[in-house]
Amino acid sequence: MTWKRISYAIIWAAALAAYLVSDSGAALYVFVCLSGLPLLSLLLLCCARGRVKFEGDVRSSCIRGGALQITVKTGVAPRFLCGEAKVIADIENTTFGKTEKRSFLFRDLSFTPYTYDYVSADSGRICVYFRSVKLYDLIGLFSFTVKVNKFAEAVVSPVLYDGISMRMDRNKSSSVFGETVLPKKGNDVSEVFNVRDYAAGDSLNAVHWKLSGKFGTLKSKEFGCTDENRILILVDLSRKKSKTAATDRQLNTVLDVAVTVSDSLIRQGYAHSVGWVEEGVFGCTEVSNGESFVDMVSKLMSMKVSAENTEGLFFLSRSAEFTAFTKLIIVSALLEEVEVRKYHNLDITAVSVSNRDGEIEDGTLKFINVTCENVYGTLSACVL
């Protein structure tokens, strides 16, 4: 817009100088027309304010380091009412609590879609808030802001290290809390977990016909889980540990390790669960195939980095919903060996993203240190 203003100022000054030198009617006419042009341009811009069309969208997902595509369309009809427009948007990474402002300039206001690439340095859920469209008049002297308040979101997924196949070790079938394992909802058709009223969308194979006939209404069976579903990957995104704080790079690596371990287990046929603790609430989702893996990544990206230690290990001293898990794989930044050593009687593999590589094994406890620079090399040699 600056060049338009400068150009107009130069032309207006030249017309004024020509009139003063020549004192001719033609020069005066040109000068008057140029002086009235801003008023005409402003009038057209006022008419354009109520004729703005806008749409904004974001591609559903991308891998961290890749380009997340933001598509924006804006238009004014008829086109000559204004010169150009600027779309203002806030892009927020809710996982890491970061927000940045972006603007997209449009000289073509024919409502043609334009795609812009946004590269995020962090994994997480990306929320794009399209705040306003700023319209400029034909000569760039005036502008009006039109609120749009459009919203779109996407997921920037962690880096998945392909080709890593980590071997399982030790007990995978009996409960880490003893012989008594509480029943848990799953997909094992050989075990009925619960019977409830039929709901739209239930498979006919799940209908309990005998009880349906007895009660006079359709009843559906909910199935239990198999032993393989008792593996839990616990993801800890606590930023602070004692007097040290994890960097964004370490926390991103925690997410990378978690999804890589999950992918490795799925490819080897081990169904499992991925859990996290956020603001004292435990969240968990089961992963049994590629579709549920994608769903897990989307849910995992909804959690937020905790400023303080959320005590992600608190569940080890609890019973109830956690007793069904037989093997625990804990992934955290700056996790210390002493934090998990007191649970030496449980089958635990702890992966700590720190500044060193190495493994410590003590009975049923395995403690693995991983550096951000050597994730692939360390995980390739892991036995969980």
Side-chain angles (χ1 to χ4, degrees):
M1 303 308 295
T2 302
W3 69 270
K4 285 187 175 183
R5 295 171 182 174
I6 294 175
S7 299
Y8 172 77
I10 293 174
I11 296 173
W12 182 87
L16 175 60
Y19 168 68
L20 294 176
V21 171
S22 64
D23 195 25
S24 68
L28 177 61
Y29 176 77
V30 172
F31 174 72
V32 171
C33 289
L34 286 173
S35 298
L37 183 59
L39 295 177
L40 176 61
S41 183
L42 177 60
L43 179 61
L44 293 175
L45 184 61
C46 291
C47 296
R49 292 182 66 179
R51 296 174 175 268
V52 177
K53 294 193 301 180
F54 174 82
E55 284 186 12
D57 198 9
V58 183
R59 193 177 66 182
S60 60
S61 65
C62 76
I63 302 296
R64 190 176 75 248
L68 185 64
Q69 295 178 335
I70 301 175
T71 301
V72 184
K73 295 193 295 183
T74 188
V76 175
R79 173 66 185 82
F80 63 80
L81 291 177
C82 68
E84 55 192 48
K86 182 185 291 184
V87 176
I88 309 297
D90 290 331
I91 302 178
E92 179 186 9
N93 184 313
T94 60
T95 302
F96 283 83
K98 297 179 178 179
T99 302
E100 58 181 294
K101 190 174 293 291
R102 286 292 181 95
S103 60
F104 311 98
L105 186 64
F106 285 83
R107 292 187 173 89
D108 179 8
L109 297 179
S110 60
F111 207 59
T112 301
Y114 286 88
T115 300
Y116 300 87
D117 290 338
Y118 171 75
V119 179
S120 175
D122 302 302
S123 304
R125 187 164 296 277
I126 303 296
C127 296
V128 182
Y129 301 92
F130 299 99
R131 300 297 188 185
S132 60
V133 177
K134 193 172 185 178
L135 300 176
Y136 295 90
D137 70 316
L138 294 173
I139 57 179
L141 294 180
F142 307 102
S143 64
F144 284 135
T145 298
V146 179
K147 299 294 184 181
V148 292
N149 292 325
K150 298 288 186 177
F151 169 79
E153 66 176 350
V155 168
V156 175
S157 301
V159 175
L160 176 63
Y161 292 87
D162 292 327
I164 293 180
S165 183
M166 289 159 284
R167 293 183 292 120
M168 292 293 293
D169 192 17
R170 298 190 289 272
N171 182 24
K172 299 180 291 297
S173 59
S174 64
S175 168
V176 296
F177 291 93
E179 295 301 323
T180 302
V181 178
L182 295 183
K184 184 181 178 184
K185 186 178 177 181
N187 299 307
D188 185 4
V189 295
S190 65
E191 179 182 354
V192 177
F193 171 72
N194 188 27
V195 177
R196 57 170 172 77
D197 291 338
Y198 180 85
D202 287 349
S203 171
L204 290 179
N205 294 327
V207 174
H208 198 304
W209 296 108
K210 189 173 182 179
L211 283 180
S212 297
K214 181 178 180 180
F215 287 95
T217 181
L218 286 178
K219 299 288 183 178
S220 289
K221 294 177 285 187
E222 288 185 335
F223 302 114
C225 72
T226 60
D227 286 343
E228 287 76 14
N229 278 322
R230 296 175 186 159
I231 304 171
L232 172 66
I233 302 173
L234 177 66
V235 185
D236 180 14
L237 283 188
S238 301
R239 184 178 291 278
K240 289 186 178 180
K241 297 285 186 180
S242 301
K243 296 181 180 180
T244 57
T247 64
D248 288 347
R249 187 181 184 190
Q250 285 176 300
L251 295 172
N252 277 297
T253 304
V254 167
L255 294 171
D256 297 345
V257 171
V259 299
T260 298
V261 171
S262 177
D263 176 70
S264 175
L265 294 180
I266 283 298
R267 286 188 286 106
Q268 295 179 79
Y270 293 116
H272 58 278
S273 296
V274 177
W276 53 87
V277 179
E278 185 177 358
E279 297 181 351
V281 179
F282 179 75
C284 186
T285 183
E286 292 185 359
V287 183
S288 58
N289 51 39
E291 183 178 349
S292 57
F293 175 80
V294 173
D295 181 63
M296 176 273 294
V297 172
S298 178
K299 291 179 179 178
L300 187 62
M301 293 302 95
S302 298
M303 67 181 297
K304 297 177 177 59
V305 171
S306 173
E308 302 292 339
N309 188 351
T310 58
E311 297 297 335
L313 302 181
F314 84 99
F315 72 92
L316 291 179
S317 60
R318 303 289 182 94
S319 55
E321 61 182 305
F322 307 111
T323 57
F325 297 115
T326 66
K327 183 176 183 64
L328 306 174
I329 303 172
I330 305 168
V331 187
S332 178
L334 305 178
L335 183 66
E336 297 294 336
E337 181 188 351
V338 68
E339 294 183 71
V340 291
R341 184 170 288 280
K342 59 183 176 180
Y343 304 110
H344 60 87
N345 60 315
L346 306 183
D347 187 358
I348 298 178
T349 298
V351 182
S352 176
V353 180
S354 60
N355 56 3
R356 62 187 184 276
D357 284 318
E359 291 187 18
I360 300 173
E361 187 166 2
D362 182 10
T364 57
L365 170 64
K366 182 184 288 290
F367 195 89
I368 304 171
N369 283 301
V370 178
T371 62
C372 299
E373 296 79 13
N374 192 33
V375 175
Y376 186 89
T378 303
L379 293 185
S380 296
C382 273
V383 178
L384 301 174

